[in-house]
């Protein structure tokens, strides 16, 4: 029997592409709230003896965790062989330590709950900083898809004389890979975060790169402050307006508009989180990885 894709939380276009690539059937789940705010979940598709794959946009995750848990449990109780999860954006990965006394290490708790909910997990470029691999957090089989080849190809095809700029030391390996794929030089900056919207980024040494087009690359664009700070430095140095490329378009509040207003020539992202800036399609990479999970 064909695998069954269950789209959750409005990522239907991506779910449909994945279903088509896997030759799977598109299922449906009805989600609503009772008058008291509790979640009501109903599977509208037959899951008996099937590989069920939930495709879930987990950006802004708190209200989604309970319905995801209920849907996965229902699928298993109703006879699914396994319930896998494709979460193109994996949230809470940045809360990977106790930055101040008493703080919750949310990435650990979130991983513990998800690991108890699904049989396998597939995601795109999770923010791995203090943890080196998902296996340090997630106890279920998992696979990570890397967006670097997509970013490299887009840059090579669309930007003349690109100079890639990564925002912080932990992005070095990733930015180096994107740059190598695009055949472009790269710089990596130093970043210090003082607060949610208070970021200091070192001044890039761009004297030898005048005439190049800066391409700021990051895994997540959230408040946009990291990129805005960098743009300010580049403008002061007389560089061209940069292209901003993020894998995950979190864009908290007015971050996207603020980034454009700061002087970005263009802002682009992958479709791991639905957003107007989505230009790079991750579905083929997810299909390939999902095939391996199902094998
Ligand atoms: C964290 O280190 C990430 O790689 C990003 O640099 C960060 O999430 C960007 O956040 P913001 O857009 O709020 O500056």
């Amino acid at each position: 029997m064909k695998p069954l894709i269950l789209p959750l939380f409005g990522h239907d276009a991506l779910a449909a592409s994945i279903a088509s690539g896997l030759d799977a059937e598109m299922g449906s789940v009805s989600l609503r709230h009772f008058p008291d705010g509790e979640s009501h979940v109903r599977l509208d598709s037959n899951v008996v003896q099937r590989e069920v794959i939930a495709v879930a946009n987990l950006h802004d995750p708190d209200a989604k965790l309970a319905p995801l848990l209920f849907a996965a449990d229902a699928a298993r109780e109703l006879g699914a062989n396994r319930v896998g999860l494709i979460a193109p954006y994996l949230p809470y990965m940045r809360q990977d330590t106790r930055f101040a006394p008493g703080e919750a290490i949310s990435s650990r708790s979130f991983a513990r709950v998800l690991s108890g909910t699904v049989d396998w997990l597939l995601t795109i470029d999770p923010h791995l900083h203090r943890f080196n691999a998902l296996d340090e957090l997630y106890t279920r089989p998992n696979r990570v898809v890397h967006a670097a080849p997509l970013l490299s190809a887009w840059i090579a095809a669309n930007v003349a004389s690109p100079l890639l700029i990564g925002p912080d030391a932990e992005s070095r390996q990733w930015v180096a890979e994107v740059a190598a794929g695009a055949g472009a030089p790269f710089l990596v900056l130093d970043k210090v975060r003082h607060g949610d919207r208070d970021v200091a980024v070192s001044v890039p040494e761009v004297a030898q790169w005048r005439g190049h087009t800066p391409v700021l690359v990051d895994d997540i664009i959230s408040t946009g402050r990291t990129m805005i700070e960098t743009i300010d430095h580049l403008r002061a140095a007389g560089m061209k307006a940069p292209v901003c490329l993020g894998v995950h378009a979190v864009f908290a509040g007015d971050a996207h508009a603020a980034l454009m207003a700061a002087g970005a020539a263009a802002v682009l992202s992958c479709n791991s989180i639905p957003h107007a800036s989505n230009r790079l399609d991750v579905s083929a990479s997810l299909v390939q990885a999902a095939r391996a999970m199902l094998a």
Side-chain angles (χ1 to χ4, degrees):
M1 210 180 292
K2 289 184 174 187
L4 182 73
I5 303 287
L6 291 181
L8 297 169
F9 317 127
H11 218 156
D12 297 7
L14 184 71
S17 297
I18 293 170
S20 149
L22 286 177
D23 190 24
E25 183 187 325
M26 272 293 264
S28 85
V29 184
S30 300
L31 303 177
R32 70 176 184 92
H33 289 104
F34 289 109
D36 61 3
E38 292 182 1
S39 295
H40 176 271
V41 173
R42 190 190 65 218
L43 306 189
D44 299 322
S45 310
N46 173 23
V47 297
V48 176
Q49 291 189 343
R50 302 182 80 167
E51 292 287 341
V52 170
I53 305 173
V55 177
N57 162 25
L58 291 184
H59 166 235
D60 201 3
D62 292 10
K64 296 173 177 170
L65 192 54
L68 171 61
L69 167 68
F70 302 153
D73 279 355
R76 225 176 280 104
E77 287 161 13
L78 291 171
N81 289 345
R82 286 189 304 175
V83 180
L85 171 64
I86 299 182
Y89 172 65
L90 196 55
Y92 279 119
M93 290 300 290
R94 291 179 294 170
Q95 316 306 321
D96 58 359
T97 189
R98 215 176 306 288
F99 294 96
E103 283 182 351
I105 304 177
S106 321
S107 51
R108 248 189 225 293
S109 308
F110 194 78
R112 180 169 48 76
V113 175
L114 269 198
S115 296
T117 301
V118 296
D119 296 303
W120 55 262
L121 167 70
L122 183 57
T123 191
I124 301 168
D125 288 325
H127 184 79
L128 290 168
H129 180 189
R130 292 171 185 86
F131 295 107
N132 296 308
L134 277 189
D135 285 337
E136 292 175 33
L137 288 166
Y138 285 80
T139 55
R140 296 292 182 160
N142 58 74
R143 194 169 280 256
V144 168
V145 167
H146 297 288
L150 284 176
L151 271 57
S152 299
W154 188 89
I155 293 166
N158 294 285
V159 184
S161 302
L163 167 67
L164 273 61
I165 301 181
D168 44 33
E170 69 262 24
S171 71
R172 170 173 287 278
Q173 209 175 337
W174 184 69
V175 175
E177 188 186 340
V178 178
F186 72 96
L187 300 174
V188 173
L189 308 182
D190 290 317
K191 177 169 87 178
V192 181
R193 186 176 286 281
H194 301 291
D196 293 345
R197 294 171 192 276
D198 183 5
V199 178
V201 177
S202 61
V203 179
E205 304 212 351
V206 285
Q208 61 171 314
W209 303 114
R210 286 191 207 292
H212 281 63
T213 301
V215 181
L216 313 189
V217 285
D218 208 345
D219 58 346
I220 298 169
I221 310 177
S222 179
T223 66
R225 293 312 311 177
T226 301
M227 287 202 174
I228 290 170
E229 278 286 304
T230 309
I231 292 173
D232 288 348
H233 292 323
L234 293 168
R235 279 162 70 113
M239 294 291 283
K240 288 184 189 170
V243 173
C244 296
L245 211 44
V247 176
H248 303 297
V250 169
F251 291 119
D254 67 349
H256 182 258
L259 201 46
M260 292 305 292
V267 180
L268 298 96
S269 62
C270 297
N271 58 346
S272 57
I273 298 172
H275 188 264
S277 64
N278 292 169
R279 293 290 180 282
L280 308 179
D281 182 9
V282 293
S283 56
S285 315
L286 287 172
V287 165
Q288 204 181 357
R291 272 203 201 104
M293 295 308 286
L294 292 175

